[in-house]
Amino acid sequence: MQRIFVTGISTEVGKTVASAIITEALEADYWKPIQAGDLDHTDSHKVAAMLTNTKTKIHKSAFELTSPMSPHAAAEIDGVTINANNIQEPETENHLVIEGAGGLLVPLNAEDTILDIIMPNYKVVVVSRHYLGSINHSLLTIRWLQAKGYDVSVLFSGNANLQTEDIILHKTGVSLIGRIDEEPSFDKATVKRYADKFRNILQSL
């Protein structure tokens, strides 16, 4: 069974929508190890609302923090210490999509970052969205993952910028899943359409 970790080159690049699409495509389970922010409208709630399949199980987060900021800071406000060793993958016999928080080196505490909870057997999907500086952020993220030995793919999010996309793919050699375009909304029908489009390549990761 596949274990796919979804990370982004920055915050607000489309990780949650990408996670919903991958989850729907594989009828996988979904897990967000660390939630930070409005706990009544978490990424887990958002993903659940975008799915049509009946197989997916949404697993409980290991840490639920009340402030919408970096996990290490949000944890301090809540009087909680995040220990990466206490973040244990939920038991499931299904595929599992794991959504990170922010970017790859977002701190969990004084020592650990998101990178420290990406297990060696995980496939990693990097969500890249074009903005000024996104090439640098994409290359840094992907190179960090490649240096650690991960199997990395990229999923572009937002309007096309072929010069940006081509240079990222050329310099990293990672496989391309595709692009999630700008859409009026990401409802169940839209997510299912992308899930159908990406299913074959996701199954072959």
Side-chain angles (χ1 to χ4, degrees):
M1 288 293 163
Q2 293 194 75
R3 298 291 183 265
I4 298 176
F5 193 99
V6 180
T7 191
I9 64 168
S10 183
T11 189
E12 302 299 326
V13 295
K15 289 192 310 297
T16 301
V17 168
S19 296
I21 289 168
I22 297 169
T23 299
E24 178 74 5
L26 300 175
E27 296 189 335
D29 286 5
Y30 169 88
W31 179 46
K32 176 100 174 183
I34 302 168
Q35 303 264 8
D38 185 352
L39 297 182
D40 291 325
H41 300 91
T42 64
D43 290 339
S44 295
H45 290 115
K46 294 172 187 173
V47 168
M50 288 187 274
L51 302 178
T52 60
N53 84 84
T54 57
K55 187 175 179 181
T56 294
K57 178 178 179 181
I58 308 290
H59 293 274
K60 181 175 174 56
S61 300
F63 290 91
E64 295 185 337
L65 309 169
T66 56
S67 300
M69 55 179 60
S70 176
H72 79 293
E76 185 174 344
I77 289 171
D78 287 357
V80 174
T81 299
I82 298 177
N83 185 332
N85 293 326
N86 292 339
I87 299 175
Q88 299 295 322
E89 179 186 306
E91 292 186 10
T92 177
E93 295 181 1
N94 194 10
H95 302 298
L96 181 64
V97 174
I98 307 113
E99 182 183 350
L104 196 62
L105 297 182
V106 164
L108 307 180
N109 51 47
E111 287 80 33
D112 300 319
T113 69
I114 291 293
L115 185 61
D116 293 296
I117 64 172
I118 306 178
M119 296 295 102
N121 62 311
Y122 290 176
K123 305 290 179 68
V124 182
V125 172
V126 174
V127 181
S128 175
R129 185 179 183 88
H130 174 69
Y131 53 82
L132 188 62
S134 66
I135 295 174
N136 183 54
H137 292 165
S138 297
L139 296 181
L140 285 170
T141 298
I142 293 168
R143 290 282 175 81
W144 261 90
L145 288 163
Q146 290 176 325
K148 297 290 185 180
Y150 292 104
D151 185 331
V152 186
S153 302
V154 68
L155 181 56
F156 290 111
S157 168
N159 292 327
N161 187 300
L162 296 181
Q163 288 180 316
T164 293
E165 295 170 18
D166 287 348
I167 199 68
I168 290 169
L169 295 172
H170 172 72
K171 283 187 170 293
T172 63
V174 295
S175 59
L176 172 64
I177 294 171
R179 184 193 306 105
I180 303 166
D181 295 315
E182 297 289 354
E183 300 284 352
S185 67
F186 284 96
D187 55 13
K188 292 175 185 287
T190 307
V191 166
K192 187 175 189 308
R193 173 162 55 84
Y194 280 101
D196 292 343
K197 180 179 179 180
F198 296 153
R199 181 170 293 111
N200 286 344
I201 191 166
L202 289 168
Q203 289 175 337
S204 68
L205 289 182

